[in-house]
Amino acid sequence: MKLRDFLASKAVTLCFWGIAVLLVCGLIAATGSGWKLVLLMAAGAALLIAAWLAVTFLLTRRRIARLDRLAGQLEEPYLLGELLPEPQDAVERQYFEIMKTVSRSAIGAVEDARQERESYGDYVEQWIHEIKTPLTACSLILANGGDPRKLRRELKRADNLTESILYYARLRTAEKDTVIREVSVAAVIDEAIKSQMELLISAGIRVQTQGDFTVCTDDKAFCFILKQLLVNCAQYCPGCTVAITAADGAVTVADNGIGIPAHDLPRVTERGFTGTNGRTRGGSTGMGLYIVRELCERLNIELTIESEQGQYTRFRLAFASLTKA
């Protein structure tokens, strides 16, 4: 800190000190005391003020130098707020508390960003291993005559994996990518089923649909949600029947498959959670239902999951922006 900057910061205090000295000297002069006494008092006051300024300047410069050293030693400057020395007065305490709040907020934001980056990296790494399976299968199919039906099935699996990672990457900017318009729920359901037909037929799954209503939503994101639920059925419930019902502003996707264990049910939408079924059958990234949950929150869709192990699993998607039945 330069002396000029320090004096400028004390300008108001020095003005009041100067006024106080003038008033005292004026009172002394009014009592009939000689000018020598007045000048002596003024000189003494000036010396005290100068001494106060000198000591305060040295202490302040020392504190600032210490802060500069701390800042220079830190690899992450936002951590400085956690190492600030204790305040010396009420005003400094207010600044101190504000800086602590800002620092902790920055630390939390950085930690969240770090965890998000690590999670994204882990998912990408896992996705790379997952995408190898259908690609390898395609190579084997082509090497053995190239059965078109099997080839389309494996290409659809690769396409689903690619779409999943794209939606995961878009979650941070979902508001920018979202296009809300009036759509027929039945039309979106039909599109989702047709897109997964190869996987559903291969898994021996029968799909039944019923009902319709019109809603304002992002049809592409909603279609992805339905496709993800159908992909889960194909993966975990081969040979089951899936009933998709659209009524009363909600879409219900229910199957009579293996169900979800009760201890896994509260966590199935957590990021990276594979659960008992995922670990048993393998090939699960634990990201599908997490992306579904995130998209539902952004589209203002209430997601409810019910299941009984060995009996059924039911997903209910209730819309808040229903336009007409």
Side-chain angles (χ1 to χ4, degrees):
M1 171 181 281
K2 296 180 180 180
L3 179 60
R4 180 181 60 187
D5 297 331
F6 174 76
L7 293 176
S9 68
K10 301 295 183 182
V12 176
T13 304
L14 290 175
C15 287
F16 278 98
W17 272 111
I19 293 172
V21 171
L22 290 175
L23 287 175
V24 171
C25 290
L27 290 174
I28 293 174
T31 60
S33 301
W35 287 104
K36 290 183 178 180
L37 179 59
V38 173
L39 292 175
L40 183 61
M41 290 292 298
L47 287 174
L48 287 174
I49 293 173
W52 170 75
L53 285 172
V55 172
T56 305
F57 173 70
L58 292 174
L59 292 176
T60 302
R61 189 170 66 173
R62 181 181 299 175
R63 295 182 68 197
I64 292 177
R66 180 186 174 190
L67 289 176
D68 288 338
R69 287 195 300 271
L70 286 174
Q73 293 170 358
L74 290 174
E75 294 183 3
E76 306 293 346
Y78 59 85
L79 295 174
L80 182 60
E82 298 297 310
L83 302 176
L84 289 175
E86 287 295 324
Q88 296 181 352
D89 55 47
V91 175
E92 283 192 4
R93 183 167 296 279
Q94 292 296 321
Y95 282 109
F96 178 80
E97 295 300 330
I98 292 173
M99 286 300 300
K100 293 283 278 189
T101 301
V102 171
S103 177
R104 287 169 184 170
S105 176
I107 291 172
V110 170
E111 185 60 28
D112 289 343
R114 181 181 291 114
Q115 291 180 359
E116 180 67 25
R117 185 176 66 250
E118 291 176 354
S119 297
Y120 186 78
D122 291 341
Y123 179 42
V124 170
E125 183 178 350
Q126 189 176 10
W127 178 86
I128 292 172
H129 289 293
E130 291 295 328
I131 198 69
K132 287 180 179 179
T133 301
L135 294 180
T136 302
C138 287
S139 298
L140 293 174
I141 292 169
L142 291 173
N144 289 277
D147 187 326
R149 183 178 58 84
K150 293 181 179 180
L151 190 60
R152 284 195 298 269
R153 181 189 63 198
E154 297 304 327
L155 288 175
K156 174 52 63 176
R157 286 175 177 168
D159 180 64
N160 287 336
L161 287 169
T162 303
E163 191 174 21
S164 294
I165 199 169
L166 286 176
Y167 267 95
Y168 180 70
R170 291 171 183 167
L171 286 179
R172 300 177 184 175
T173 57
E175 293 80 4
K176 297 180 181 179
D177 297 329
T178 301
V179 179
I180 303 297
R181 62 179 180 176
E182 188 175 289
V183 298
S184 166
V185 168
V188 179
I189 292 173
D190 289 341
E191 181 183 350
I193 294 172
K194 289 178 181 177
S195 73
Q196 303 303 314
M197 191 61 70
E198 291 85 359
L199 294 183
L200 295 173
I201 293 175
S202 175
I205 292 178
R206 180 186 177 191
V207 181
Q208 302 172 343
T209 63
Q210 181 181 1
D212 186 22
F213 58 85
T214 304
V215 69
C216 289
T217 190
D218 185 327
D219 57 327
K220 291 184 178 179
F222 179 51
C223 187
F224 172 82
I225 291 172
L226 294 175
K227 287 192 288 186
Q228 186 59 55
L229 298 181
L230 291 173
V231 168
N232 283 1
C233 289
Q235 182 174 358
Y236 297 113
C237 312
C240 75
T241 298
V242 178
I244 305 179
T245 305
D248 300 324
V251 175
T252 303
V253 181
D255 66 64
N256 58 352
I258 61 174
I260 303 172
H263 59 274
D264 285 345
L265 191 58
R267 301 185 59 196
V268 291
T269 58
E270 291 182 7
R271 179 167 53 188
F273 181 74
T274 56
T276 303
N277 293 336
R279 290 189 294 270
T280 301
R281 294 176 176 269
S284 174
T285 62
M287 298 300 293
L289 291 182
Y290 165 75
I291 299 174
V292 166
R293 185 197 71 187
E294 291 293 308
L295 288 176
C296 284
E297 290 180 358
R298 283 160 172 74
L299 296 177
N300 200 18
I301 299 174
E302 182 182 358
L303 173 64
T304 306
I305 306 174
E306 299 175 353
S307 184
E308 184 176 340
Q309 190 170 11
Q311 298 296 322
Y312 70 91
T313 299
R314 183 184 300 117
F315 294 85
R316 186 174 187 272
L317 306 166
F319 290 87
S321 56
L322 185 66
T323 58
K324 59 183 178 180

